[in-house]
Amino acid sequence: MDKGFSPVGLRVLVVDDDPTWLKILEKMLKKCSYEVTTCGLAREALRLLRERKDGYDIVISDVNMPDMDGFKLLEHVGLELDLPVIMMSVDGETKRVMKGVQHGACDYLLKPIRMKELKIIWQHVLRKKLQEVRDIEGCYEGGADWFTRNDEAHLLGGGGEDVSFGRKRKEFDFEKKLLLQDESDPSSSSSKKARVVWSFELHQKFVNAVNQIGCDHKAGPKKILDLMNVPWLTRENVASHLQKYRLYLSRLEKGKELKCYSGGVKNMDLPPKGSEFSSVHQSPGKNSYAFSGGSSDPKQLASSSVSDPSSDVHMPPKAKKTRVEFDPPISSSCAFDSLLSWSDVPDPLESKPQILYGSSFLQQQPLPSQSPYVANSAPTLMEQEMKPSYETSVNADEFLMPQDKNSTVILQDLDLSAPSAISSINVTNDTESILRSLSWELPESHHSGFIDTDLDFSWLQNEHFLANTGLQNFQLQDYSCSPSLLSELPPHLWFGNEPDEYTLMVDHGLFIS
Amino acid sequence: MELVQMQKSLQDYTKSLFLDGVLDSQFLQLQQLQDESNPDFVSQVVTLFFQDSDRILNDLSLSLDQQVVDFKKVDPHVHQLKGSSSSIGAQRVKNACVVFRNFCEQQNVEGCHRCLQQVKKEYYLVKNRLETLFKLEQQIVASGGMIPAMELGF
């Protein structure tokens, strides 16, 4: 049987009028350690789904069923329940596959179905949840196009085997692609959009526009485009860039939560989960994380950090790439928040977009600790070199170069002497809670070895994410000066345009059939 | 017959089914799904297949025997049979269904009748072979032996 990783307890509803297949699929799914419910009729399936609205994570349905067209079922499930649906058929005709895609299927599997195909269906569930986080009331409409296109490309070309796919996946470096925009990457999507190079200035405009919109409004591509006032830029360009940006931020956050998914990173001992302390604070001068374990709060942190005002600014001369890896979870949480929580911010205190803690990262200051997860991310990377916390803010600033201080929202009075004690805000809890709500038990034994063969977690892992960025070449210097220094970041650190995250995920095999 | 001999016979027999194209690798998948928690899994699945196929073939015969053949009814049956034959790896049955569907598309009654005969022939063949296979297995188990795992070099 294939090696691989699948989360225990994923609740699958299988619908097939063929009793033989139903039995086989049930057995196969059980072997994946999923929780299986079988159903021989589409109407019955709908009834079950409606009865327990949150009772299932994913639906797998045959296309041809006597009482109801599988596509109709697909529609119903999609509309009413917004669950990921995988279609199956012994018939692989292109037009049928296309129909499935058009009706919103996450995937289309050809019978006979292989174990490895079932082992990865959880990715669709996760992906959908992540999508939910990013879709703020439908403000991102541009995604549908390329999504469908990529699905097409994959489904049409994939057939029953994903040989080529697997090969691409291994060669593919998700993060590298995202940040360095390797145009020649063969696993690029089939999108025919003209590439937009997101120069520093352009990205600057983008970020400014995003900040200007603020958290009260939806940060939709259209609005951003309008504010940017770049004539040749299209809404689609912005939408795509926005998505990547959000993804980047969300991934940084999720990297903490998803450390347990990663096989390649040794899980360090985490600080007690009860820790409210959400910022990673490095004792100045030391190469170790001074976690405030337990229930430290930012105030404590701030005070402790205040005590070493002199040394926290100075970046040790060696800025290794390993250090870089710590950044995103900590600092970008702010940016993440602002982008993800535009329209729905539960807690007024935390609702302010915290992305802009002054132009100088040195204006680091203890933000209210809202989530323990920022801190939790650090341990997973503990095996890497530690780095001073201010580095984190630097990286955040890559994306958040506020040129106009006035237009930025400063969360609190900045304490110049305190090293960054950034915390994530409630919004980031969205992804965290989503992931936690999935409440999957993950087998202990999964390892990156498996990951390579069957699943590619790299996009979930901070470590991988950053390991291949250009940031290792980034020499951090004394940041006591203005953002203009930071504006000298090499352009390759900025987002390019194509392909965007979903493309990459597609390439990564979320649609293995 | 000695246990070892029976086991060898079973292996040879199974191998022949693959070599003849009666079964394909899907059948192997089924065998791999079988485990201690479900020691009769394969025979249960195959039994389901037989039951379902008997029913489908019946419906097929009925719909083709009509004065005016409604191909919109015939085709789904064939499709069904194609699907279930693929579930246990009954390759020849599945292939016969593919041909059958082509004639349905062409609305060729004669051709469909011939296809039905062919499908039935292949179906009874695989049914027969599998029943023999299970008998061999039962004999081995009754003699206290283990069913050898299928080693396939092809």
Side-chain angles (χ1 to χ4, degrees):
Chain A
M1 207 57 76
D2 297 344
K3 283 193 280 186
F5 160 76
S6 48
V8 173
L10 189 72
R11 297 162 306 172
V12 185
L13 178 67
V14 188
V15 192
D16 199 331
D17 66 317
D18 185 328
T20 325
W21 268 116
L22 207 56
K23 188 172 174 75
I24 295 174
L25 288 168
E26 183 186 35
K27 182 74 179 171
M28 289 171 78
L29 290 165
K30 281 192 172 149
K31 280 236 158 166
C32 296
S33 305
Y34 296 149
E35 214 180 274
V36 189
T37 310
T38 59
C39 200
L41 287 172
R43 292 195 201 281
E44 178 68 16
L46 269 180
R47 191 185 66 78
L48 284 174
L49 287 164
R50 286 167 181 154
E51 245 173 48
R52 292 172 62 207
K53 290 245 159 155
D54 280 320
Y56 304 96
D57 295 313
I58 188 167
V59 179
I60 306 182
S61 170
D62 190 85
V63 161
N64 300 87
M65 283 185 292
D67 64 332
M68 191 195 290
D69 189 356
F71 297 116
K72 256 217 155 38
L73 175 66
L74 168 60
E75 267 177 34
H76 280 298
V77 174
L79 286 170
E80 294 177 35
L81 303 143
D82 198 29
L83 284 177
V85 182
I86 296 179
M87 304 302 293
M88 314 180 277
S89 180
V90 68
D91 189 355
E93 267 179 29
T94 307
K95 60 177 192 272
R96 304 227 70 171
V97 173
M98 281 311 305
K99 197 171 175 191
V101 169
Q102 280 156 10
H103 282 72
C106 287
D107 205 347
Y108 192 107
L109 304 181
L110 284 187
K111 290 175 168 175
I113 297 178
R114 291 280 171 267
M115 272 298 286
K116 65 176 179 181
E117 295 170 302
L118 294 180
K119 272 197 172 282
I120 55 146
I121 61 174
W122 63 270
Q123 292 182 358
H124 295 293
V125 181
L126 185 61
R127 196 169 147 280
K128 203 158 183 108
K129 303 250 181 209
L130 298 182
Q131 198 173 7
E132 279 165 28
V133 171
R134 278 191 294 262
D135 285 349
I136 304 170
E137 295 182 19
C139 61
Y140 181 65
E141 320 96 67
D145 290 345
W146 58 258
F147 177 87
T148 312
R149 257 204 309 279
N150 291 331
D151 275 357
E152 283 178 40
H154 169 80
L155 292 172
L156 291 177
E161 300 301 317
D162 70 325
V163 174
S164 61
F165 175 89
R167 183 183 67 236
K168 280 187 215 166
R169 193 167 21 127
K170 281 170 188 159
E171 295 166 356
F172 182 70
D173 183 346
F174 177 85
E175 285 76 21
K176 184 176 181 183
K177 188 166 191 180
L178 184 64
L179 283 183
L180 301 183
Q181 290 306 305
D182 180 7
E183 205 164 3
S184 59
D185 192 331
S187 51
S188 283
S189 76
S190 55
S191 167
K192 313 272 185 300
K193 293 187 213 164
R195 285 180 70 90
V196 167
V197 177
W198 281 84
S199 67
F200 173 80
E201 287 79 18
L202 195 58
H203 183 76
Q204 194 64 23
K205 285 194 171 138
F206 170 79
V207 171
N208 287 344
V210 160
N211 299 337
Q212 251 184 284
I213 293 174
C215 66
D216 297 328
H217 313 276
K218 298 184 206 167
K222 180 89 177 68
K223 253 200 174 106
I224 297 174
L225 179 67
D226 289 343
L227 284 173
M228 282 176 72
N229 196 23
V230 176
W232 53 267
L233 201 62
T234 71
R235 196 198 64 81
E236 275 180 332
N237 298 141
V238 174
S240 160
H241 191 74
L242 177 65
Q243 184 189 37
K244 272 180 286 191
Y245 189 20
R246 284 183 186 146
L247 173 74
Y248 168 71
L249 299 169
S250 70
R251 209 158 0 103
L252 303 181
E253 282 302 311
K254 280 190 294 288
K256 307 183 281 284
E257 265 311 286
L258 294 175
K259 60 188 181 302
C260 53
Y261 285 82
S262 72
V265 179
K266 276 189 240 166
N267 287 329
M268 308 294 296
D269 290 331
L270 301 176
K273 272 284 188 186
S275 167
E276 298 165 309
F277 174 52
S278 62
S279 62
V280 174
H281 165 60
Q282 172 164 12
S283 304
K286 288 192 230 160
N287 273 352
S288 63
Y289 269 82
F291 268 105
S292 307
S295 54
S296 60
D297 59 28
K299 291 208 185 65
Q300 285 176 14
L301 181 70
S303 55
S304 63
S305 61
V306 164
S307 60
D308 296 289
S310 54
S311 50
D312 61 352
V313 174
H314 178 58
M315 173 66 186
K318 308 175 260 185
K320 302 219 172 18
K321 72 174 177 184
T322 57
R323 291 162 171 257
V324 168
E325 296 173 13
F326 278 107
D327 289 349
I330 296 117
S331 56
S332 58
S333 60
C334 304
F336 176 68
D337 300 333
S338 63
L339 284 184
L340 295 189
S341 65
W342 293 119
S343 52
D344 180 21
V345 183
D347 185 337
L349 181 63
E350 283 77 43
S351 64
K352 295 181 230 173
Q354 297 186 5
I355 49 174
L356 308 167
Y357 36 92
S359 54
S360 165
F361 75 99
L362 271 197
Q363 296 173 7
Q364 300 150 359
Q365 72 112 40
L367 302 177
S369 72
Q370 294 307 320
S371 150
Y373 298 106
V374 177
N376 287 346
S377 65
T380 66
L381 304 170
M382 274 228 188
E383 50 192 303
Q384 315 291 336
E385 277 183 51
M386 306 299 179
K387 60 191 181 68
S389 55
Y390 63 74
E391 283 186 56
T392 68
S393 53
V394 170
N395 283 304
D397 286 342
E398 284 169 33
F399 296 107
L400 307 170
M401 292 296 299
Q403 281 183 338
D404 179 9
K405 273 196 205 177
N406 294 335
S407 67
T408 68
V409 177
I410 310 292
L411 181 66
Q412 297 176 7
D413 292 333
L414 301 179
D415 178 357
L416 286 173
S417 58
S420 154
I422 303 154
S423 67
S424 60
I425 314 181
N426 281 351
V427 170
T428 65
N429 288 343
D430 288 346
T431 47
E432 293 146 4
S433 54
I434 282 170
L435 292 165
R436 269 185 298 147
S437 71
L438 296 179
S439 55
W440 291 333
E441 301 159 30
L442 302 169
E444 280 295 330
S445 58
H446 64 264
H447 189 268
S448 55
F450 292 161
I451 290 171
D452 262 354
T453 48
D454 282 3
L455 308 162
D456 194 323
F457 285 100
S458 59
W459 64 274
L460 295 175
Q461 288 182 30
N462 258 359
E463 176 184 298
H464 284 202
F465 172 78
L466 290 171
N468 294 291
T469 67
L471 291 171
Q472 60 261 39
N473 301 320
F474 182 55
Q475 292 299 317
L476 296 174
Q477 298 162 13
D478 183 359
Y479 288 100
S480 51
C481 49
S482 66
S484 59
L485 180 69
L486 292 171
S487 70
E488 283 162 19
L489 283 177
H492 70 267
L493 292 179
W494 296 96
F495 284 134
N497 198 22
E498 295 297 329
D500 53 25
E501 183 261 341
Y502 275 129
T503 308
L504 302 170
M505 287 168 81
V506 169
D507 290 339
H508 263 293
L510 286 183
F511 297 110
I512 292 177
S513 62
Chain B
M1 206 196 284
E2 257 202 53
L3 185 62
V4 174
Q5 264 184 299
M6 283 196 283
Q7 285 169 330
K8 177 93 177 34
S9 292
L10 175 64
Q11 268 192 313
D12 289 343
Y13 191 74
T14 312
K15 209 173 194 177
S16 74
L17 293 182
F18 288 105
L19 289 172
D20 288 346
V22 175
L23 292 176
D24 64 26
S25 60
Q26 175 62 14
F27 191 76
L28 277 181
Q29 299 280 324
L30 287 191
Q31 288 183 319
Q32 283 172 6
L33 283 173
Q34 187 162 287
D35 54 24
E36 311 77 39
S37 72
N38 224 186
D40 294 321
F41 178 70
V42 181
S43 66
Q44 284 171 2
V45 170
V46 171
T47 307
L48 271 174
F49 167 70
F50 291 155
Q51 287 169 354
D52 203 37
S53 302
D54 287 338
R55 179 187 60 84
I56 297 173
L57 283 171
N58 214 19
D59 292 342
L60 252 179
S61 304
L62 276 173
S63 53
L64 269 183
D65 275 342
Q66 302 297 309
Q67 280 284 359
V68 180
V69 175
D70 184 358
F71 288 100
K72 287 211 181 62
K73 287 217 173 83
V74 175
D75 186 72
H77 287 312
V78 183
H79 180 87
Q80 252 188 305
L81 189 59
K82 181 183 171 194
S84 55
S85 60
S86 74
S87 75
I88 66 153
Q91 188 175 249
R92 288 213 221 153
V93 178
K94 181 175 158 187
N95 291 342
C97 288
V98 173
V99 180
F100 199 150
R101 288 193 87 195
N102 287 338
F103 281 107
C104 280
E105 227 176 304
Q106 298 163 22
Q107 311 228 348
N108 184 333
V109 179
E110 253 315 298
C112 283
H113 274 290
R114 283 199 305 268
C115 280
L116 179 60
Q117 293 317 306
Q118 184 66 16
V119 167
K120 278 182 174 171
K121 182 176 152 210
E122 295 296 350
Y123 170 69
Y124 290 123
L125 180 79
V126 69
K127 186 169 183 188
N128 200 280
R129 299 276 175 99
L130 283 173
E131 280 170 351
T132 308
L133 188 134
F134 290 133
K135 276 209 188 82
L136 282 175
E137 284 187 353
Q138 280 158 19
Q139 280 170 5
I140 290 173
V141 171
S143 306
M146 299 272 294
I147 313 286
M150 193 64 202
E151 310 275 349
L152 282 186
F154 61 94

